Amino acid sequence: MLLRQYLGHGLRSLCLCGLLFSARGGTFLSEPWLQALACKCPRLSRLYLLNTDLRGLPSCCLLPPTLQVLELHNCELPPGFFTQNPSGTCEPDHHRAAAVSPKSPANKQLTASSPGITIQTLILDNVPSFTNQHLHSLSSWGQLARLELRDLTRMTAAGLRACAPPGLQALHHLRHLEICTIKRQQMAALGLGEGWAGLEGLGLGGREVGPGLLCLSRLPDLRRLRLCDCSLTEMMVLRSCRTLKELRTLEFRKVEFSTESGGEAEEGQEGGGEREEGEREERSDTDPVPNLRQSLVTLLPKCSVLFTECSVASVQG
């Protein structure tokens, strides 16, 4: 009924909520339904799945081949879900081919070998069954440029380290990576310690911020850095960013800055000028730590610094 009455040819983005935590249970994403979705919505480029049990689907190759963005929130996956053929193509089986009408314009697309997974952005948020093996299988995704990993309890630093180029399981096309862990101390970001050639954007959140800051000097191509949902000191930021001379954007989002009332961070202020005695540091919502911004301007002259929903907590020192 959903396909017949509400979804049409021009649909580009679709958000679906499953029954994973429902008392009814059951699976609503079946292979025939996905085939029909691909035929009815040939322009679908973004699929957002919430509370969805995908363990009844053997492979992500059954998803609409036009997808460019896939978001999985509170979902469950089967082993090998992200794996495609070594040749980089997704071969539909005879069931898939037989289910498509010969008169359908999508018939050739589904009965012939498809060009492989074309997803460019993959977002995984609280997917308990996601493992290092799932992560490694993404190396066959030739167009994956952005990967966001949030609260994945079974992913480790070793698993992430194996994905860094030029390894056999490397995510060669990846340009932006986000790692955020709120619920527990994963420290998966330590997997960046061996370096990651070609990584231009990095987001660190929650308990991944501290470990990730230790690895920034090993990311020579980094141009954009976002730190969120954490507590930081000015000294931590300045020490970690001193080597990022080519950084273009540094964003702090929902960060609580701890400043010592007895004195401000001195590192990185050379040439930036000191405040005159008695001068007060004026703060605003968009510039909660003016002294830090001044130091970063001197340290990283090519970088724009942004503060979003940040706060300051004074610590007696």
Side-chain angles (χ1 to χ4, degrees):
M1 180 178 294
L2 177 66
L3 281 173
R4 291 196 305 268
Q5 295 186 8
Y6 300 105
L7 306 185
H9 187 272
L11 185 70
R12 296 181 182 273
S13 179
L14 178 62
C15 177
L16 297 173
C17 182
L19 305 172
L20 186 60
F21 302 108
S22 171
R24 295 169 52 194
T27 302
F28 76 100
L29 283 185
S30 64
E31 185 175 345
W33 193 90
L34 289 171
Q35 293 168 9
L37 177 65
C39 294
K40 189 75 179 291
C41 307
R43 298 182 180 179
L44 185 65
S45 61
R46 176 180 177 270
L47 181 60
Y48 179 113
L49 298 179
L50 173 66
N51 301 340
T52 304
D53 190 350
L54 297 170
R55 288 172 291 190
L57 298 176
S59 171
C60 63
C61 291
L62 298 174
L63 297 175
T66 54
L67 289 185
Q68 296 180 4
V69 180
L70 176 62
E71 297 191 37
L72 304 180
H73 299 260
N74 300 319
C75 296
E76 288 287 1
L77 302 174
F81 182 73
F82 295 120
T83 304
Q84 63 178 351
N85 292 338
S87 61
T89 62
C90 291
E91 289 282 353
D93 58 24
H94 66 281
H95 294 100
R96 192 176 184 187
V100 180
S101 170
K103 298 181 180 180
S104 169
N107 185 44
K108 292 183 179 181
Q109 186 179 30
L110 293 181
T111 55
S113 297
S114 65
I117 297 170
T118 59
I119 293 173
Q120 301 172 13
T121 298
L122 177 62
I123 299 174
L124 300 162
D125 180 11
N126 190 23
V127 181
S129 51
F130 185 88
T131 65
N132 289 337
Q133 190 58 45
H134 285 105
L135 181 63
H136 298 161
S137 64
L138 295 175
S139 61
S140 64
W141 291 27
Q143 298 190 37
L144 184 64
R146 185 184 184 95
L147 179 61
E148 300 185 18
L149 308 170
R150 306 171 188 165
D151 281 320
L152 304 177
T153 58
R154 299 176 65 185
M155 185 188 73
T156 67
L160 185 64
R161 189 179 301 114
C163 294
L168 296 176
Q169 299 170 328
L171 305 181
H172 293 284
H173 299 276
L174 199 66
R175 294 295 174 264
H176 185 96
L177 174 65
E178 294 201 12
I179 312 172
C180 179
T181 303
I182 302 296
K183 298 180 179 180
R184 57 185 294 180
Q185 188 73 31
Q186 284 292 101
M187 296 196 295
L190 286 176
L192 299 172
E194 299 295 325
W196 196 304
L199 192 65
E200 299 174 357
L202 176 65
L204 298 170
R207 301 186 179 188
E208 299 292 351
V209 174
L213 289 178
L214 299 175
C215 305
L216 294 184
S217 62
R218 305 301 304 273
L219 305 176
D221 300 314
L222 195 64
R223 298 294 181 269
R224 301 176 301 278
L225 175 63
R226 182 170 68 175
L227 307 175
C228 61
D229 298 304
C230 62
S231 296
L232 292 172
T233 66
E234 297 176 45
M235 191 69 72
M236 289 173 62
V237 174
L238 296 174
R239 282 179 174 173
S240 303
C241 296
R242 65 164 71 226
T243 61
L244 304 179
K245 300 301 183 182
E246 299 302 318
L247 197 67
R248 295 297 188 270
T249 303
L250 174 57
E251 180 183 1
F252 301 95
R253 179 182 292 273
K254 296 182 179 180
V255 174
E256 181 181 72
F257 291 95
S258 299
T259 60
E260 293 186 1
S261 59
E264 299 292 343
E266 298 177 356
E267 194 166 343
Q269 294 182 11
E270 295 83 356
E274 297 182 356
R275 289 177 291 168
E276 296 180 0
E277 185 176 356
E279 182 181 353
R280 298 184 61 184
E281 186 180 35
E282 297 183 1
R283 294 169 176 165
S284 67
D285 292 339
T286 57
D287 199 5
V289 195
N291 195 49
L292 176 60
R293 181 189 292 274
Q294 180 182 357
S295 300
L296 287 171
V297 167
T298 303
L299 192 65
L300 307 172
K302 301 178 182 180
C303 184
S304 298
V305 182
L306 307 174
F307 296 92
T308 305
E309 300 182 58
C310 295
S311 60
V312 177
S314 296
V315 179
Q316 296 294 330

